[in-house]
Amino acid sequence: MDKRLKHLNALRCFESAARHQSYSKAAEELFVSQAAVSQQMRQLEESLNIKLFVRRGRRMQLTQAG
């Protein structure tokens, strides 16, 4: 697989989660589990070495980097 496409699914998850401000709603939209979205976000944050979301209880907000 082309290395440029390595994070394509994670970026798709990120866009949906950012728009909905919810992993659960992103998961519904993408037809995957909430855990899958969470894992994609964790992997993306680790690979980019930045925090994309701030979680406050049940709410999520994008960070400046996000």
Side-chain angles (χ1 to χ4, degrees):
M1 178 166 74
D2 190 335
K3 289 182 182 182
R4 294 175 294 176
L5 301 177
K6 180 180 174 184
H7 299 293
L8 186 59
N9 284 336
L11 290 173
R12 217 176 273 149
C13 286
F14 169 73
E15 186 277 329
S16 183
R19 188 165 24 89
H20 292 293
Q21 295 185 344
S22 167
Y23 286 176
S24 297
K25 290 179 183 175
E28 286 178 29
E29 179 178 305
L30 299 169
F31 302 102
V32 297
S33 69
Q34 182 273 337
V37 172
S38 179
Q39 182 178 9
Q40 289 284 335
M41 293 302 90
R42 187 172 54 254
Q43 290 174 351
L44 186 60
E45 287 178 333
E46 286 177 8
S47 68
L48 297 173
N49 200 29
I50 57 173
K51 192 109 169 128
L52 298 171
F53 293 101
V54 174
R55 293 142 185 99
R56 293 191 173 113
R58 300 185 93 184
R59 287 196 39 140
M60 289 182 6
Q61 290 183 314
L62 285 172
T63 63
Q64 189 73 13

